[in-house]
Amino acid sequence: MEIKFTRAATLKEKPDSSTLVFGKAMTDHMFIVDYDAGQGWHDPRIIPYGPLQIDPAAKVLHYGEEIFEGLKAYRIADGSIQLFRPRDNIDRMNKSADRLCLPRIPEELALAGITELVKTEQDWVPSEEGTSLYIRPFMIGLDAALGVHSSHHVQYIVVVCPVGAYYPEGLDPVKIYVEEKDVRAVKGGMGMAKTGGNYAASLRAGDLAEKAGYSQVLWLDGLHRKYIEEVGSMNVMFKVAGKILTPDLNGSVLDGITRRSCIQLLKDWGYEVEERRISAEELFEAAENGTLEEAWGTGTAAVVSPIGELAMGDKKVTVSNNQIGEITQKLYDELTGIQWGRIADPHGWIMKL
Ligand code: COI
């Protein structure tokens, strides 16, 4: 399908790469393709970035009929641009689409929307250490009717923005609060889907945690309120007595692409990785008996982010002396090394633009 291009009449001033804040500096153009039941996907286009015109009765505005993805484009030393596992994002988006009764988008069309927009905005891909172009594909249900049904008219849209570190702490350890009151998702709900509703459910606890001086919350499972699941914007991993532990994909945990990549790297290095139920109690016990050696989060936006403090109720433990741990640093270096083309890519994760 040919992508129609309309150039923006004026181009924005690009932000200084050393002061980038996550997700604020949107570029000059965006990609949109429409879907209509009976017609399929049609009219792919790159147009000037700007407000969408949406009917106030559109399903997305009332019933959260929305899914999204997050991936990045990296400027490597020779000046060229590359993507990390973009097909995995599209595959996950189509799984999210199934859950929310949105139409699947053909892989090549979804990918073309990403690659053509990044090529259009190539001058926006920063080159400073630790920066990249964040890519946000999303899909919205647009039927203008207040009945609770899935939409027949849908759009897949891609927007991009240059970013630095997700957390203001950068690679300094973050403080995480274990949330005992609110839950993010339950098995049978939408936890495995990347949909706005899961993040809406997280806002209250996130705000309260932030006011108390924590970066984000660590969610417990919705049924037993006992087993840890994930942090607001990342999956979590722990090194306990030499072994790596991470919550299993039980239906309410996001199947993170950075999570998947870290598990592969850890296995390559000979670590035993246990994907299983982990209770908060087990974690705090390990901290108390000195076997909790490291904790970190993984995510596209967060990359690999060390956790230096965990709190739950009135219990508080420091992890790894509030320093970045050895494995956390090694994972960060290896992953970003592959993403920025500084080291070999043995698993074929990189796609050159
Ligand atoms: C990402 O890591 O790309 C995400 O989607 C997390 C986000 C909610 C900031």
Side-chain angles (χ1 to χ4, degrees):
M1 238 185 279
E2 199 193 323
I3 300 175
K4 200 172 153 217
F5 178 51
T6 310
R7 186 177 293 283
T10 53
L11 300 183
K12 298 172 191 162
E13 199 173 317
K14 301 193 178 46
D16 176 354
S17 305
S18 61
T19 57
L20 285 171
V21 178
F22 183 85
K24 284 206 171 160
M26 307 314 293
T27 65
D28 296 308
H29 299 90
M30 59 188 180
F31 172 85
I32 302 188
V33 59
D34 285 280
Y35 171 91
D36 284 280
Q39 188 180 0
W41 293 97
H42 61 94
D43 289 316
R45 56 204 182 271
I46 291 176
I47 58 172
Y49 183 93
L52 301 172
Q53 209 178 10
I54 292 184
D55 191 295
K59 309 274 188 208
V60 61
L61 299 178
H62 301 272
Y63 307 126
E65 198 185 10
E66 186 265 1
I67 55 175
F68 70 95
E69 277 301 319
L71 67 160
K72 285 174 173 170
Y74 306 86
R75 164 106 45 209
I76 68 169
D78 67 6
S80 64
I81 297 169
Q82 57 190 31
L83 305 177
F84 184 73
R85 308 188 77 168
R87 291 180 190 276
D88 290 43
N89 287 92
I90 295 165
D91 178 58
R92 187 173 61 185
M93 178 170 247
N94 277 327
K95 289 189 176 127
S96 300
D98 291 344
R99 179 64 185 82
L100 276 95
C101 295
L102 283 159
R104 286 188 153 241
I105 180 160
E107 184 179 59
E108 293 313 319
L109 174 61
L111 189 61
I114 293 168
T115 54
E116 292 312 304
L117 182 65
V118 174
K119 281 184 200 158
T120 303
E121 305 295 57
Q122 55 185 288
D123 292 347
W124 283 85
V125 184
S127 54
E128 193 140 323
E129 175 85 26
T131 63
S132 53
L133 188 77
Y134 186 75
I135 305 167
R136 173 54 61 88
F138 61 105
M139 198 188 285
I140 48 180
L142 289 170
D143 280 17
L146 295 181
V148 182
H149 304 286
S150 59
S151 286
H152 295 89
H153 176 51
V154 168
Q155 282 184 335
Y156 167 80
I157 305 175
V158 187
V159 295
V160 295
C161 55
V163 295
Y166 183 72
Y167 293 112
E169 290 90 335
L171 246 199
D172 289 342
V174 293
K175 289 161 70 171
I176 301 287
Y177 191 81
V178 182
E179 172 60 33
E180 293 180 278
K181 192 162 155 264
D182 289 356
V183 294
R184 171 190 169 272
V186 288
K187 206 176 283 186
M190 304 193 299
M192 45 62 68
K194 207 157 173 62
T195 176
N198 290 333
Y199 296 82
S202 79
L203 295 176
R204 179 168 67 179
D207 277 5
L208 289 173
E210 219 170 279
K211 279 197 190 106
Y214 292 88
S215 298
Q216 284 194 4
V217 303
L218 175 54
W219 298 106
L220 294 178
D221 76 283
L223 191 59
H224 308 92
R225 308 284 184 103
K226 198 172 159 186
Y227 301 102
I228 59 162
E229 300 224 307
E230 63 181 78
V231 172
S233 66
M234 48 190 196
N235 295 107
V236 273
M237 298 187 177
F238 306 92
K239 180 162 173 256
V240 179
K243 262 195 284 196
I244 312 299
L245 308 183
T246 192
D248 57 334
L249 301 177
N250 60 0
S252 56
V253 172
L254 188 81
D255 180 4
I257 291 158
T258 312
R259 173 189 182 276
R260 206 182 286 173
S261 309
C262 287
I263 292 174
Q264 182 65 57
L265 292 173
L266 289 159
K267 288 187 175 164
D268 292 351
W269 298 333
Y271 281 99
E272 199 179 322
V273 182
E274 283 184 7
E275 294 179 61
R276 64 164 170 85
R277 283 210 307 204
I278 306 160
S279 69
E281 198 184 343
E282 174 182 352
L283 217 55
F284 279 81
E285 256 174 40
E288 273 146 30
N289 68 28
T291 53
L292 176 60
E293 294 158 12
E294 291 184 44
W296 65 90
T298 64
T300 298
V303 194
V304 173
S305 180
I307 297 172
E309 187 181 309
L310 280 171
M312 181 164 121
D314 50 14
K315 276 188 269 182
K316 203 179 268 189
V317 294
T318 300
V319 189
S320 194
N321 282 328
N322 204 18
Q323 306 287 318
I324 184 165
E326 198 185 319
I327 292 300
T328 314
Q329 181 76 58
K330 191 169 171 193
L331 275 175
Y332 178 86
D333 291 344
E334 189 78 11
L335 195 68
T336 57
I338 295 171
Q339 289 168 339
W340 271 282
R342 290 190 292 259
I343 58 178
D345 167 31
H347 297 289
W349 291 336
I350 292 300
M351 184 185 160
K352 298 229 172 245
L353 212 59

